[in-house]
Amino acid sequence: MEGCQTKLIHRGAEADLLLGRWCGLESIYKSRKPLTYRLKVLDDAVRTRRTAHEALMLREAKRVGVRTPYLYHVDTKGAVIIMEYLKGARLKDRASGMSRAGVSAVFGEVGTMVGTLHSSGIMHGDVTTSNLLETSSGLAMIDFGLSTHTQRIEDHAVDLRLIKETLTGAHPMIADLALDSIFAAYRKVVGGARLKQVKRQLSEIERRGRYARAD
Amino acid sequence: MVDSLIGIESTAHTFSASVVTSSGRILSDVRDVYRAPAGGGIHPIEASSQHMANAPGVLREALLEAGIPIKSIRAVSYSMGPGLGPCLRVGAVAARSLAATLVKRIVPVNHAIGHIELGCLLTRTKDPLVLLVSGGHSMVVAFSGNRWRILGESLDLTLGQLIDQFGRHAGLASPCGTKVEEAASKSAKYIELPYTVKGNDVSYSGILTAAKNLLDRGVAFEDVCFSLQETAFAMIVEVTERALAFTEKKEVMVVGGVAANLRLSEMLKTMVRRHSASFRAVPPRYSGDCGAQIAWAGWLEYNTGNSIAIVDATTRQSWRLDSVDAKWRDARRS
Ligand SMILES: Nc1ncnc2c1ncn2[C@@H]1O[C@H](COP(=O)(O)OP(=O)(O)OP(=O)(O)O)[C@@H](O)[C@H]1O
Ligand SMILES: [Mg+2]
C-alpha cells in the first residue's frame, strides 16, 4: 500500500479516509490510526477488532442484498481497509434540504435495509446518517466496524434506538416523519409481530437509560 | 443596583444556595453535602432530612454572603428535576417559602441544563459539544434547533454510578471519584475489561461486574481502578469523538462531577486536538452540584420571561434536558 498516491478526504471519528487507487480502481482507504488517548494495548485491540469485523460484515451485508462498497483488501494488523469508492452524498448532509416526500422515500429505504440485515441476523451497530450514502444507484451503507451476527431482539432494538437518537438529536425537524417511514418499511421486511417485540424492547432500553440516580 | 437571582440546588447529596448577578458574577455559593456511610449509597430519606435541617442556614448564609439588598433579587430559582424525589421536594419547598417571604417569582430549572449553562459561562464557550458526566448523567449533548439535544449517552449506569458502585464494593464511602482516581494514578497495570461502545452510546454494566469480580479475586485495588478508568473513560471519549466528528463543533466542554478527574480531561484534550477544536473543563469548584448552576440557568430562563406561580413549583424526578426549550439561546442567536 505504501508508495500508492492517496489523498485525505475525510477525518472521521475513528479513521482517516483517503482516496486512492487499488489495481487501477478508484478506491477508499479507511485507515484506523492509533488513537493516543486510549492505552496502547486497548487501542490496538479495538482497532484490529473493528477492522476485521468491518471487512467481514461488508461482504455479509452485500450477500444478503444490502448495498455496500466492494471490499478490495484488508490489512487487519495495520487496521486498513481498501474498498470501492462510492460517489455520493452522506444522508446527513442531504436530510435537511429534503421534501417530505423525499424524506419518506429515503428513510423508507433505510428501514428496508436495516430490516434486511436484521432478518438475516446482522446488526449494523452504527446506523447514523453519516454512515448512509446516497448514490446515483440508490442508498448504500458503510462503516461496519461495530457490526455483529446476532438474532437477539435486544441487539436489533439497540440498532433502532441509535437511529432514533441520531434523528431526534441531529435532525429534529424531520425526525418523526423519518422514524415513521423507517418503521413502516422495517415492518414490511421483518413482519408486524417482530416489529412489536423490537419496539417493546426499544422502550425498555430507553427506560433503563433514563435518569437513574438512586442506587 | 445590579439585578440578581437566588438559586437553590437540591437534587441529590448537595443542598446549596447561590446568588448570581445578571452578568454572571457569582456572589455566593453555599453548600451542605450529605455523606453516605462507608460501603453504602445515598439514602434519599436521610439525605432529604439533612437538607431539611440545613436549608434555612444555607439560604441565610447565601443571602448574607452576597451582601446585596433583597430588592435587587429578581426571582428565586430551584432545581425542579431530575433527581431523587425526597431531595427535590426539599428544594421546591425551600423555593416556595423563600419566594413567598420575599414576594418574588419562581423559576424552575432543569439540573442538567444548569450544569451546562454554568459551564458555558465559566469556560466562556459559546456553542460547545458538551460531555456531561456525573452521578445522574453520562451524556454527550449539543445545542441544535431550539434545544440542547442528546447525541449519545450511557445505556445503563452513569459514569458516576460506575465509579461509586465500584468504590463502595471496595468499602469506600460515596462519592468515590477522588479516591478511585488517586488509586488509579499509582498503577500502570492494565487488566482487560469489557469495552462496550454501541454506536454513539456506551454500556457500563459489564465493566462494573468484571471489576467487582477482579476485586473479589484479590487483584490489587490500584490495578483495578487504573483498568476501570482507562476502559470507561476511553469509551466515553470515543463517543464524544463520534459526536464531534458528526456535529463538527469547534469547542468541547466537560461538566459534571466526573469532570474533576484529571485523567479524563487529559484524554479529552488529546482527542479534541485531532479535530482541531478547543477543549475546556469546568473549574473543579463548580464541576459538581451547586446552587450557582441553578441560579445562572434560572437567570437565563427568567430573562426570557419564564417564571411560574408559587403553587406550580412542583418536582419532576425524570425530566429529560432535551424537552426544555432553551429560548435564551435562540434569542442570543438572532
Ligand atoms: N466506500 C466509500 N465511498 C465513498 N465515500 C466513503 C466511503 N467510505 C467512507 N466514505 C466517506 O467517509 C466518511 C467516513 O467514513 P466512515 O464512516 O467509514 O468512518 P468514520 O471514522 O466512522 O467517520 P465518521 O465519524 O465521519 O462517520 C463517510 O461519511 C463518507 O463520507
Ligand atoms: Mg462513520
Side-chain angles (χ1 to χ4, degrees):
Chain A
M1 270 166 287
E2 299 305 322
C4 170
Q5 277 218 334
T6 54
K7 182 174 119 233
L8 181 71
I9 57 159
H10 180 84
R11 172 151 285 174
E14 292 196 83
D16 285 348
L17 282 294
L18 305 118
L19 192 58
R21 292 202 160 266
W22 176 256
C23 299
L25 296 165
E26 201 169 21
S27 324
I28 286 281
Y29 287 58
K30 178 167 179 173
S31 167
R32 287 185 163 85
K33 291 267 165 61
L35 297 178
T36 51
Y37 63 80
R38 269 195 304 234
L39 223 54
K40 190 172 181 314
V41 270
L42 178 57
D43 187 56
D44 288 347
V46 171
R47 287 184 302 119
T48 49
R49 182 166 76 221
R50 300 243 175 107
T51 304
H53 272 262
E54 175 150 25
L56 179 72
M57 301 311 274
L58 270 174
R59 281 177 298 189
E60 289 283 293
K62 190 177 281 301
R63 192 177 55 78
V64 304
V66 169
R67 187 142 188 272
T68 60
Y70 278 104
L71 175 73
Y72 295 154
H73 180 81
V74 56
D75 167 11
T76 308
K77 263 211 127 100
V80 178
I81 282 177
I82 306 175
M83 62 187 141
E84 178 189 5
Y85 172 59
L86 297 174
K87 261 205 188 66
R90 294 180 302 181
L91 196 49
K92 175 194 161 187
D93 303 318
R94 298 266 297 105
S96 48
M98 275 181 193
S99 67
R100 291 185 66 80
V103 169
S104 270
V106 76
F107 284 95
E109 253 186 279
V110 175
T112 306
M113 279 176 144
V114 176
T116 307
L117 289 178
H118 287 185
S119 55
S120 318
I122 297 170
M123 168 202 194
H124 182 276
D126 199 6
V127 192
T128 66
T129 48
S130 71
N131 292 335
L132 290 156
L133 301 180
E134 254 199 327
T135 73
S136 53
S137 42
L139 208 56
M141 229 172 188
I142 57 167
D143 205 357
F144 282 76
L146 294 174
S147 302
T148 42
H149 280 291
T150 168
Q151 291 280 12
R152 290 176 59 216
I153 292 174
E154 163 88 14
D155 292 333
H156 295 181
V158 165
D159 250 359
L160 291 170
R161 199 204 88 94
L162 178 64
I163 298 177
K164 190 172 167 188
E165 183 178 68
T166 306
L167 287 169
T168 52
H171 308 283
M173 305 311 160
I174 59 160
D176 288 342
L177 177 61
L179 272 174
D180 287 347
S181 316
I182 288 172
F183 282 128
Y186 184 83
R187 184 174 198 272
K188 281 194 188 133
V189 185
V190 305
R194 179 74 183 187
L195 174 68
K196 219 168 164 186
Q197 289 176 307
V198 175
K199 269 192 160 172
R200 196 181 311 129
Q201 194 61 26
L202 173 61
S203 313
E204 171 59 26
I205 296 169
E206 287 178 330
R207 204 191 48 73
R208 244 185 267 152
R210 291 288 186 269
Y211 192 77
R213 185 167 217 153
D215 56 343
Chain B
M1 189 175 64
V2 283
D3 286 338
S4 60
L5 186 143
I6 180 163
I8 299 167
E9 157 61 21
S10 180
T11 56
H13 43 69
T14 301
F15 186 91
S16 170
S18 160
V19 177
V20 171
T21 70
S22 58
S23 61
R25 265 200 23 241
I26 301 170
L27 300 180
S28 64
D29 182 77
V30 180
R31 305 171 194 182
D32 179 72
V33 181
Y34 161 84
R35 299 259 170 240
I42 175 167
H43 193 296
I45 303 293
E46 280 173 19
S48 67
S49 327
Q50 180 174 327
H51 294 344
M52 194 63 105
N54 291 313
V58 170
L59 291 175
R60 179 169 343 103
E61 219 182 301
L63 285 168
L64 284 175
E65 207 182 295
I68 44 153
I70 292 295
K71 61 176 181 295
S72 76
I73 292 180
R74 310 293 306 197
V76 176
S77 66
Y78 74 106
S79 45
M80 182 184 243
L84 300 171
C87 300
L88 287 172
R89 283 191 284 280
V90 177
V93 167
R96 283 176 174 219
S97 350
L98 192 62
T101 314
L102 306 180
V103 200
K104 308 287 179 190
R105 297 289 293 180
I106 292 195
V107 185
V109 168
N110 177 294
H111 176 83
I113 301 254
H115 272 302
I116 295 171
E117 291 294 353
L118 181 67
C120 289
L121 172 75
L122 297 175
T123 61
R124 295 172 212 272
T125 45
K126 296 213 158 51
D127 182 28
L129 180 75
V130 180
L131 174 61
L132 170 57
V133 272
S134 61
H137 296 84
S138 280
M139 42 176 68
V140 183
V141 179
F143 190 79
S144 129
N146 52 343
R147 292 179 183 188
W148 285 101
R149 301 194 188 263
I150 300 164
L151 295 163
E153 64 183 317
S154 171
L155 295 171
D156 40 49
L157 297 172
T158 66
L159 194 46
Q161 284 173 327
L162 169 67
I163 293 170
D164 285 346
Q165 290 187 19
F166 165 75
R168 293 211 301 272
H169 189 75
L172 302 175
S174 282
C176 313
T178 322
K179 282 172 213 125
V180 169
E181 177 173 14
E182 210 178 274
S185 70
K186 290 185 190 135
S187 165
K189 186 170 168 209
Y190 183 71
I191 303 151
E192 201 183 325
L193 290 170
Y195 187 94
T196 319
V197 167
K198 300 186 177 186
N200 296 339
D201 306 301
V202 299
S203 161
Y204 283 138
S205 52
I207 297 189
L208 180 61
T209 313
K212 281 180 174 173
N213 281 338
L214 289 177
L215 283 183
D216 295 345
R217 292 208 325 256
V219 177
F221 179 61
E222 287 78 13
D223 297 340
V224 187
C225 289
F226 175 73
S227 308
L228 179 138
Q229 279 200 15
E230 289 302 317
T231 315
F233 291 174
M235 282 161 56
I236 202 82
V237 174
E238 178 179 345
V239 296
T240 309
E241 180 163 33
R242 285 169 169 271
L244 183 59
F246 192 93
T247 57
E248 296 167 29
K249 296 275 183 198
K250 292 292 159 230
E251 305 163 316
V252 174
M253 173 178 79
V254 60
V255 293
V258 192
N261 188 298
L262 295 177
R263 176 59 182 145
L264 177 62
S265 278
E266 180 188 296
M267 287 166 95
L268 284 165
K269 203 182 291 169
T270 309
M271 178 278 282
V272 164
R273 212 177 291 137
R274 190 172 157 258
H275 297 272
S276 43
S278 69
F279 171 71
R280 295 271 184 290
V282 68
R285 170 153 173 78
Y286 294 103
S287 62
D289 296 355
C290 62
Q293 74 189 70
I294 305 304
W296 177 240
W299 175 263
L300 295 173
E301 187 84 56
Y302 175 76
N303 215 14
T304 66
N306 212 352
S307 64
I308 58 175
I310 289 181
V311 289
D312 295 323
T314 53
T315 63
R316 295 175 72 177
Q317 285 188 53
S318 38
W319 183 16
R320 300 269 288 184
L321 83 167
D322 56 359
S323 66
V324 177
D325 271 319
K327 290 207 198 69
W328 58 92
R329 289 212 159 238
D330 285 346
R332 204 178 300 171
R333 290 198 161 181
S334 53

